[in-house]
């Protein structure tokens, strides 16, 4: 069974594993590769149901050798997050099954329910979507797990930052100096840890996003415990690179307008903003490619690097 879009087929062991988690008389009749996955292959499975209708499930499989060694950790973390979010105000996929060590599948895999909606990465309608994103993130941070998930990962160090060609070297040197300092103290929150437009599904009834609503949040493999500022900084960086540097600061403002609480001191906020934007410097090429595959053809690696440089420079200029 070959995926649409020419993706590699789902292996027979994985198909058999999925089938064991279907209802009697259901069968898999199609698979379709979904865009946007960076660390894993994501597919929508079409299932024929006993009443003659269809339903969909989503299969995430870690097939890249560089990701397989951490797949067990990531899949267990995502499975725990999906179980936690069931019954909360945060709409996430429902967990169906997980095979984190590839005991049954060709690759470590997770099977979950399919959510309606689509990702929206266009500039048009962004002003209406940003407050929705902010309110959704506030709701995520309001989740209080009975058992605290593992601590967040920083994802970069001062010594691994990749300064873009032609960047403002003085601003980047100052930014790198910021993250050499110890992390500020913070009040922990439940974090998505990769909250950004590519992981949020929307129902958009009109071209200009009037009446848009969020239908769910996906990709919980990095769910963890840490400062709200870090999730906000991550979405801010992504918005700055997707839509222009000014949108990074606008998202932080929208988060507070929605009732979210960030670090009180400007220097502490800057630490998390800079830490996330510098982490992005190490994966610009991968991120840009994913966005181009999703329809943003103009976002070449160079274009994204230039926006990242402008964003980092703006953060440091604001510090004075």
């Amino acid at each position: 069974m070959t995926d649409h879009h020419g993706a590699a087929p789902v292996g027979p062991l994985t198909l058999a594993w999925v089938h064991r988690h279907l209802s009697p008389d259901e069968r898999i009749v199609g698979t379709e590769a979904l865009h946007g996955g960076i660390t894993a292959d994501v597919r929508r499975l079409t299932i024929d149901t006993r009443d003659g209708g269809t339903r969909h499930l989503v299969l995430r499989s870690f097939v890249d050798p560089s990701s397989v060694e951490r797949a067990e950790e990531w899949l267990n973390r995502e499975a725990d997050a999906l179980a936690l979010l069931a019954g909360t105000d945060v709409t996430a996929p429902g967990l169906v099954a997980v095979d984190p060590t590839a005991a049954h599948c060709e690759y470590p895999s997770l099977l979950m329910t399919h959510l309606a909606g689509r990702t929206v990465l266009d500039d048009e309608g962004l002003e209406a979507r940003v407050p929705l994103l902010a309110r959704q993130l506030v709701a995520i941070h309001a989740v209080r797990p009975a058992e605290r998930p593992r601590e967040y990962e920083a994802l970069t160090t001062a010594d691994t930052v990749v300064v873009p060609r032609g960047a403002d070297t003085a601003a980047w040197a100052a930014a790198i100096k910021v993250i050499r300092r110890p992390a500020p103290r913070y009040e922990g929150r439940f974090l998505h840890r990769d909250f950004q437009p590519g992981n949020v599904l929307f129902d958009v009834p009109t071209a200009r996003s009037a009446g848009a609503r969020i239908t769910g949040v996906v990709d919980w493999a990095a769910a963890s415990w840490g400062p709200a500022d870090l999730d906000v900084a991550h979405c801010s960086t992504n918005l700055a690179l997707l839509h222009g540097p000014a949108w990074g600061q606008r998202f932080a403002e929208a988060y507070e307008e929605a009732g979210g609480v960030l670090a009180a001191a400007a220097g502490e906020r800057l630490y998390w903003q800079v830490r996330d934007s510098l982490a992005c410097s190490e994966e610009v090429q991968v991120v840009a490619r994913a966005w181009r595959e999703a329809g943003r053809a103009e976002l070449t690696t160079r274009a994204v690097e230039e926006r990242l440089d402008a964003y980092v420079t703006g953060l440091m200029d604001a510090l004075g």
Side-chain angles (χ1 to χ4, degrees):
M1 184 179 297
T2 303
D3 289 336
H4 299 166
H5 307 306
V10 179
L13 294 177
T14 302
L15 289 174
W17 174 75
V18 171
H19 192 267
R20 291 199 292 273
H21 296 283
L22 303 180
S23 298
D25 301 324
E26 289 188 327
R27 63 191 183 97
I28 306 165
V29 295
T31 70
E32 179 183 0
L34 300 179
H35 291 300
I38 293 177
T39 59
D41 282 0
V42 183
R43 293 177 173 86
R44 179 170 56 201
L45 310 182
T46 300
I47 314 296
D48 264 0
T49 59
R50 66 177 74 183
D51 60 2
T54 60
R55 67 186 181 104
H56 298 288
L57 295 175
V58 173
L59 175 70
R60 178 198 295 278
S61 298
F62 285 85
V63 303
D64 189 287
S66 65
S67 301
V68 167
E69 66 180 37
R70 294 198 62 186
E72 180 178 2
E73 172 195 344
W74 287 333
L75 289 177
N76 281 327
R77 197 187 306 187
E78 182 159 26
D80 289 344
L82 297 184
L84 167 68
L85 293 166
T88 70
D89 292 335
V90 178
T91 301
L95 176 65
V96 176
V98 62
D99 181 15
T101 61
H104 308 285
C105 304
E106 281 83 0
Y107 301 100
S109 298
L110 183 142
L111 186 66
M112 62 193 120
T113 60
H114 176 262
L115 298 178
R118 61 183 178 89
T119 57
V120 183
L121 305 182
D122 300 332
D123 290 336
E124 189 172 24
L126 180 62
E127 188 171 353
R129 295 195 305 273
V130 163
L132 300 179
L133 290 168
R135 288 197 290 272
Q136 180 64 78
L137 190 54
V138 170
I140 291 171
H141 293 163
V143 172
R144 295 293 180 264
E147 184 175 342
R148 181 179 297 184
R150 63 170 295 169
E151 203 78 4
Y152 74 93
E153 293 185 53
L155 303 181
T156 192
T157 71
D159 298 319
T160 57
V161 172
V162 179
V163 180
R165 174 170 50 89
D168 184 327
T169 54
W172 279 74
I176 291 170
K177 186 175 180 180
V178 167
I179 67 168
R180 288 192 185 278
R181 304 170 190 161
R185 295 175 61 87
Y186 61 85
E187 183 177 353
R189 291 284 184 269
F190 177 68
L191 305 182
H192 182 282
R193 197 59 186 96
D194 191 15
F195 185 84
Q196 42 91 5
N199 285 329
V200 180
L201 302 178
F202 282 89
D203 174 34
V204 185
T206 70
R208 298 189 62 82
S209 293
R213 65 183 183 90
I214 290 175
T215 58
V217 182
V218 299
D219 194 354
W220 294 87
S224 50
W225 189 260
D229 283 79
L230 190 53
D231 258 359
V232 173
H234 188 65
C235 192
S236 294
T237 300
N238 277 267
L239 289 170
L241 302 189
L242 272 168
H243 307 293
W247 287 103
Q249 185 56 42
R250 175 66 192 109
F251 182 72
E253 294 167 354
Y255 179 82
E256 291 189 295
E257 290 165 2
V261 178
L262 296 173
E268 293 177 352
R269 294 190 188 197
L270 178 70
Y271 176 90
W272 300 112
Q273 290 171 318
V274 167
R275 175 163 285 289
D276 187 84
S277 56
L278 295 188
C280 189
S281 75
E282 300 178 36
E283 54 183 18
V284 168
Q285 185 173 359
V286 175
V287 170
R289 182 175 67 247
W291 287 340
R292 289 195 302 275
E293 290 174 353
R296 293 294 303 273
E298 79 282 11
L299 291 180
T300 63
T301 297
R302 185 60 188 148
V304 175
E305 285 178 337
E306 290 173 348
R307 286 186 173 181
L308 179 61
D309 178 39
Y311 182 56
V312 169
T313 300
L315 292 174
M316 301 314 298
D317 286 347
L319 182 63

